[in-house]
PDB file of all heavy atoms in Angstrom:
ATOM      1  N   LYS Y  71       6.479  18.552   7.268  1.00 97.00           N
ATOM      2  CA  LYS Y  71       5.667  17.520   6.629  1.00 97.00           C
ATOM      3  C   LYS Y  71       6.521  16.722   5.636  1.00 97.00           C
ATOM      4  O   LYS Y  71       6.187  16.568   4.448  1.00 97.00           O
ATOM      5  CB  LYS Y  71       4.443  18.117   5.938  1.00 97.00           C
ATOM      6  CG  LYS Y  71       3.432  18.745   6.894  1.00 97.00           C
ATOM      7  CD  LYS Y  71       2.128  19.062   6.160  1.00 97.00           C
ATOM      8  CE  LYS Y  71       1.091  19.652   7.088  1.00 97.00           C
ATOM      9  NZ  LYS Y  71       1.454  20.982   7.585  1.00 97.00           N
ATOM     10  N   HIS Y  72       7.604  16.213   6.163  1.00 97.00           N
ATOM     11  CA  HIS Y  72       8.582  15.527   5.323  1.00 97.00           C
ATOM     12  C   HIS Y  72       9.114  14.302   6.046  1.00 97.00           C
ATOM     13  O   HIS Y  72       9.351  14.327   7.258  1.00 97.00           O
ATOM     14  CB  HIS Y  72       9.749  16.479   5.012  1.00 97.00           C
ATOM     15  CG  HIS Y  72      10.841  15.851   4.216  1.00 97.00           C
ATOM     16  ND1 HIS Y  72      10.818  15.762   2.844  1.00 97.00           N
ATOM     17  CD2 HIS Y  72      12.010  15.270   4.621  1.00 97.00           C
ATOM     18  CE1 HIS Y  72      11.911  15.147   2.426  1.00 97.00           C
ATOM     19  NE2 HIS Y  72      12.652  14.850   3.464  1.00 97.00           N
ATOM     20  N   LEU Y  73       9.257  13.219   5.308  1.00 97.00           N
ATOM     21  CA  LEU Y  73       9.941  12.068   5.866  1.00 97.00           C
ATOM     22  C   LEU Y  73      10.921  11.509   4.843  1.00 97.00           C
ATOM     23  O   LEU Y  73      10.811  11.784   3.642  1.00 97.00           O
ATOM     24  CB  LEU Y  73       8.974  10.977   6.346  1.00 97.00           C
ATOM     25  CG  LEU Y  73       8.095  10.224   5.380  1.00 97.00           C
ATOM     26  CD1 LEU Y  73       7.734   8.877   5.985  1.00 97.00           C
ATOM     27  CD2 LEU Y  73       6.801  10.989   5.127  1.00 97.00           C
ATOM     28  N   SER Y  74      11.907  10.805   5.368  1.00 98.00           N
ATOM     29  CA  SER Y  74      12.915  10.231   4.484  1.00 98.00           C
ATOM     30  C   SER Y  74      13.284   8.834   4.974  1.00 98.00           C
ATOM     31  O   SER Y  74      13.173   8.528   6.159  1.00 98.00           O
ATOM     32  CB  SER Y  74      14.149  11.132   4.415  1.00 98.00           C
ATOM     33  OG  SER Y  74      14.731  11.270   5.686  1.00 98.00           O
ATOM     34  N   LEU Y  75      13.712   8.034   4.031  1.00 98.00           N
ATOM     35  CA  LEU Y  75      14.190   6.685   4.313  1.00 98.00           C
ATOM     36  C   LEU Y  75      15.665   6.629   3.945  1.00 98.00           C
ATOM     37  O   LEU Y  75      16.038   6.966   2.822  1.00 98.00           O
ATOM     38  CB  LEU Y  75      13.414   5.653   3.492  1.00 98.00           C
ATOM     39  CG  LEU Y  75      13.896   4.213   3.594  1.00 98.00           C
ATOM     40  CD1 LEU Y  75      13.633   3.648   4.997  1.00 98.00           C
ATOM     41  CD2 LEU Y  75      13.225   3.331   2.537  1.00 98.00           C
ATOM     42  N   HIS Y  76      16.492   6.230   4.917  1.00 98.00           N
ATOM     43  CA  HIS Y  76      17.913   6.065   4.681  1.00 98.00           C
ATOM     44  C   HIS Y  76      18.253   4.579   4.671  1.00 98.00           C
ATOM     45  O   HIS Y  76      17.834   3.849   5.599  1.00 98.00           O
ATOM     46  CB  HIS Y  76      18.733   6.770   5.770  1.00 98.00           C
ATOM     47  CG  HIS Y  76      18.608   8.271   5.735  1.00 98.00           C
ATOM     48  ND1 HIS Y  76      19.610   9.093   6.167  1.00 98.00           N
ATOM     49  CD2 HIS Y  76      17.620   9.083   5.299  1.00 98.00           C
ATOM     50  CE1 HIS Y  76      19.238  10.356   6.013  1.00 98.00           C
ATOM     51  NE2 HIS Y  76      18.037  10.378   5.483  1.00 98.00           N
ATOM     52  N   ILE Y  77      18.983   4.160   3.675  1.00 98.00           N
ATOM     53  CA  ILE Y  77      19.439   2.774   3.583  1.00 98.00           C
ATOM     54  C   ILE Y  77      20.966   2.794   3.594  1.00 98.00           C
ATOM     55  O   ILE Y  77      21.593   3.370   2.697  1.00 98.00           O
ATOM     56  CB  ILE Y  77      18.930   2.090   2.294  1.00 98.00           C
ATOM     57  CG1 ILE Y  77      17.407   2.224   2.163  1.00 98.00           C
ATOM     58  CG2 ILE Y  77      19.328   0.614   2.297  1.00 98.00           C
ATOM     59  CD1 ILE Y  77      16.855   1.704   0.834  1.00 98.00           C
ATOM     60  N   VAL Y  78      21.534   2.210   4.650  1.00 97.00           N
ATOM     61  CA  VAL Y  78      22.992   2.210   4.782  1.00 97.00           C
ATOM     62  C   VAL Y  78      23.481   0.853   5.296  1.00 97.00           C
ATOM     63  O   VAL Y  78      23.022   0.419   6.357  1.00 97.00           O
ATOM     64  CB  VAL Y  78      23.453   3.304   5.771  1.00 97.00           C
ATOM     65  CG1 VAL Y  78      24.983   3.335   5.840  1.00 97.00           C
ATOM     66  CG2 VAL Y  78      22.901   4.660   5.403  1.00 97.00           C
ATOM     67  N   PRO Y  79      24.427   0.186   4.625  1.00 98.00           N
ATOM     68  CA  PRO Y  79      24.892   0.508   3.284  1.00 98.00           C
ATOM     69  C   PRO Y  79      23.930  -0.054   2.242  1.00 98.00           C
ATOM     70  O   PRO Y  79      23.258  -1.055   2.475  1.00 98.00           O
ATOM     71  CB  PRO Y  79      26.230  -0.227   3.222  1.00 98.00           C
ATOM     72  CG  PRO Y  79      26.024  -1.425   4.107  1.00 98.00           C
ATOM     73  CD  PRO Y  79      25.093  -0.989   5.208  1.00 98.00           C
TER      74      PRO Y  79
END
Side-chain angles (χ1 to χ4, degrees):
Chain Y
K71 294 191 178 67
H72 177 85
L73 65 156
S74 61
L75 175 68
H76 293 209
I77 307 174
V78 183

